[in-house]
Amino acid sequence: MKLYTKTAHELHDLLVRKEVSATDLVKAQAERMQALEPKIQAFVTPTVDKALEQAALVDAKIVAGEAIGPLEGVPMAIKDNMCTDGVRTTCSSKILENFVPPYDATVVTKLKEAGAIMMGKTNLDEFAMGSSTENSGFFTTRNPWDTERVPGGSSGGSAASVAAGQAVFSLGSDTGGSIRQPAAFCGVVGLKPTYGAVSRFGLIAFASSLDQIGPFTRDVRDCALVMNAIAGHDAKDSTSAPVDFPDYTSLLGKSIKGWRVGLPKEYFGDGIDPEVRAVIEKAVKTIESLGAEVAECSLPHTEYALPVYYLLAPAEASSNLARYDGVRYGYRSESADDLISMFKKTRAEGFGDEVKRRIMLGTYALSSGYYDAYYLKALKVRTLIKNDFDQAFEKFDCILSPTTPSVAFKFGDRTDNPLQMYLSDVFTLSVNLAGIPGLSINAGFANGMPVGLQIIGKAFDEARLLQIAHAYEEATGCHSRMPELGV
């Protein structure tokens, strides 16, 4: 039995029927990780020994005849920008290379309480700044569908680990598309929840008004199960929303007949790869065949999303990353002669090029004389972008678009052109600026590589996004295909 091909809900059924043990699952996953890590390089820090200890506790519970939860005993992975008590948390940066947190992020605590078993911490673009995982301070993760191509970013390790069968599900963070874009490139399900739906406590901050934690899974049902575990109000996070959260599985399998679905004309213009466009147009026809009514809509301020994002996100990053000075924790330069040179050399040696670029951009935008012209104006346009979505959702239940303009690109294609790299997230940025949920599912393939379909919904309407995604998944079966990796 190829356990690495199973979803969380399928593994749960096997555990309940005692056809496998949690220890069996962890050992099978560890073997898969060991076989594939030289090829994929998804993990910064494996935690197999701790995983076996957790698995033994789940097995004891099953033997005692106790009921287990839907994620109990299921192997998973965590992006390495979420704090894990006693386990190295690096943000894939030299400046935090040896940082070991004394506490768990809230999402980690919740998954532990749900009985999920962490197999390791996954690679990312340093401090979650990038679209390809080429900005990792350690090594580059590879796309399981073609190891000469990027897995996307910044959550490339989390997406690749699920696509390659190294983890059943994983967590990533999404600041401007960093869950949905790698989900599209790796052919898995990736959900960026509504801002405030999932606690950010213990997530190492990039841009605090945009960051959001969400899951990568093999199918939509697993995504709903993980959301059931991690969503909810958290008093430790001042931006956590004190609202009622639904059972995210409750609408799965229900019809979408009569749904009104919008296609924003700004997302279907020039710049989309023709083969990606063809796959998305076919996906739209499938949605129509399921009973939905599809019509064009407009999000007129979309063209400003990229410049707004690259003013606001670096500005917040320049503030958040000021704490890494070599004084309290993290890397400290050994070649400094005095305090000021220690600050300078620590940051110069500890941060990579992309992080430095964004700190400089953000500091400039916040500096005296430029704050009103750049940062304040960007905040005002952000409101206009949110208003576009509010008006669209008065007429439509959800919005469909490509997740990315192209399939995964080859290593090195965009590293010398930061602006071209930034355009990888052109269809995902607006969702973060508006604080609403966005989901990417595999819509099909172009030239053998996955193509992502993005579904955008109203705030806190994740259950309905999962409903339409599940309907599409059931109609097409695209989620069932896995990359051939020779092991």
Side-chain angles (χ1 to χ4, degrees):
M1 186 187 302
K2 293 182 178 179
L3 293 174
Y4 68 84
T5 66
K6 304 295 183 184
T7 61
H9 54 92
E10 289 169 340
L11 292 176
H12 173 75
D13 292 343
L14 292 174
L15 287 167
V16 169
R17 294 197 301 265
K18 299 183 180 179
E19 293 181 25
V20 297
S21 67
T23 300
D24 292 334
L25 299 184
V26 169
K27 286 182 176 178
Q29 211 73 65
E31 289 174 8
R32 181 82 175 167
M33 286 171 60
Q34 186 176 15
L36 287 177
E37 264 309 278
K39 182 181 288 189
I40 303 300
Q41 295 186 297
F43 288 87
V44 174
T45 306
T47 56
V48 175
D49 290 343
K50 286 178 179 284
L52 286 168
E53 292 172 9
Q54 287 180 270
L57 297 175
V58 175
D59 288 336
K61 193 172 177 181
I62 294 170
V63 169
E66 297 179 40
I68 60 170
L71 297 180
E72 205 148 0
V74 176
M76 54 89 176
I78 301 289
K79 186 177 181 180
D80 202 24
N81 62 347
M82 300 174 207
C83 288
T84 43
D85 186 6
V87 178
R88 194 170 66 124
T89 300
T90 70
C91 278
S92 289
S93 177
K94 183 179 179 181
I95 211 160
L96 285 177
E97 187 170 4
N98 297 308
F99 173 59
V100 179
Y103 68 97
D104 281 327
T106 294
V107 288
V108 175
T109 299
K110 287 190 168 191
L111 287 175
K112 282 184 177 179
E113 290 171 351
I117 298 175
M118 186 176 76
M119 298 298 297
K121 307 292 291 292
T122 57
N123 194 28
L124 62 146
D125 286 295
E126 185 181 5
F127 281 98
M129 298 181 191
S131 303
S132 66
T133 319
E134 290 171 290
N135 292 329
S136 170
F138 305 140
F139 49 81
T140 301
T141 300
R142 298 181 176 276
N143 192 313
W145 292 93
D146 180 351
T147 55
E148 296 301 312
R149 294 176 185 266
V150 303
S154 63
S155 309
S158 289
S161 68
V162 174
Q166 295 177 288
V168 179
F169 71 89
S170 65
L171 292 188
S173 63
D174 191 312
T175 309
S178 289
I179 290 174
R180 289 158 291 151
Q181 187 249 29
F185 281 4
C186 291
V188 296
V189 178
L191 172 64
K192 188 221 73 97
T194 305
Y195 187 79
V198 177
S199 173
R200 291 186 301 110
F201 178 77
L203 172 68
I204 296 175
F206 163 16
S208 302
S209 76
L210 299 164
D211 297 340
Q212 187 59 72
I213 295 170
F216 290 96
T217 60
R218 293 207 192 112
D219 71 1
V220 172
R221 184 170 294 277
D222 274 10
C223 188
L225 291 172
V226 177
M227 279 298 293
N228 280 345
I230 64 174
H233 179 251
D234 179 17
K236 295 177 182 176
D237 176 5
S238 62
T239 62
S240 178
V243 300
D244 292 329
F245 292 89
D247 173 1
Y248 291 100
T249 65
S250 61
L251 299 179
L252 302 184
K254 294 191 175 180
S255 172
I256 60 167
K257 187 175 182 180
W259 275 43
R260 297 163 300 164
V261 175
L263 299 180
K265 62 183 181 181
E266 294 81 5
Y267 287 46
F268 289 86
D270 296 335
I272 303 177
D273 185 296
E275 285 153 339
V276 169
R277 184 191 294 272
V279 171
I280 296 301
E281 287 174 350
K282 184 178 178 182
V284 170
K285 288 179 181 177
T286 300
I287 294 292
E288 281 185 300
S289 73
L290 294 171
E293 301 168 10
V294 178
E296 185 179 83
C297 65
S298 179
L299 300 169
H301 294 94
T302 296
E303 65 179 299
Y304 303 113
L306 195 71
V308 165
Y309 177 87
Y310 279 102
L311 282 167
L312 298 182
E316 295 185 26
S318 74
S319 176
N320 280 325
L321 272 62
R323 70 194 72 180
Y324 304 109
D325 53 15
V327 175
R328 286 153 291 191
Y329 53 85
Y331 174 77
R332 177 184 293 180
S333 175
E334 299 292 335
S335 60
D337 298 322
D338 54 43
L339 183 65
I340 299 302
S341 68
M342 189 270 285
F343 288 157
K344 291 179 178 178
K345 289 188 176 183
T346 292
R347 291 168 69 81
E349 296 167 13
F351 289 136
D353 289 345
E354 182 62 26
V355 174
K356 291 174 185 173
R357 181 182 292 117
R358 298 199 193 194
I359 289 172
M360 288 189 288
L361 276 171
T363 303
Y364 181 82
L366 292 173
S367 59
S368 177
Y370 296 102
Y371 180 92
D372 288 351
Y374 293 109
Y375 183 74
L376 190 60
K377 186 170 287 187
L379 285 176
K380 292 177 180 178
V381 180
R382 180 180 187 174
T383 301
L384 297 176
I385 290 169
K386 180 185 181 299
N387 290 345
D388 286 348
F389 282 107
D390 290 343
Q391 291 168 18
F393 288 132
E394 290 175 3
K395 299 177 182 177
F396 297 99
D397 296 293
C398 71
I399 290 169
L400 298 184
S401 80
T403 309
T404 58
S406 69
V407 297
F409 46 89
K410 291 192 174 182
F411 289 108
D413 276 4
R414 303 186 184 184
T415 49
D416 294 331
N417 188 340
L419 293 179
Q420 188 66 29
M421 183 74 80
Y422 295 167
L423 286 169
S424 302
D425 298 326
V426 67
F427 297 144
T428 55
L429 296 170
S430 295
V431 170
N432 297 79
L433 293 168
I436 55 179
L439 175 93
S440 181
I441 56 171
N442 187 15
F445 294 83
N447 294 323
M449 296 300 295
V451 174
L453 173 67
Q454 181 174 222
I455 310 172
I456 304 168
K458 304 170 189 174
F460 300 103
D461 208 17
E462 286 87 350
R464 278 163 59 81
L465 289 192
L466 292 164
Q467 179 186 351
I468 188 171
H470 184 262
Y472 180 82
E473 191 176 78
E474 290 292 293
T476 62
C478 286
H479 66 291
S480 61
R481 185 171 162 187
M482 289 186 70
E484 295 290 338
L485 289 162
V487 295

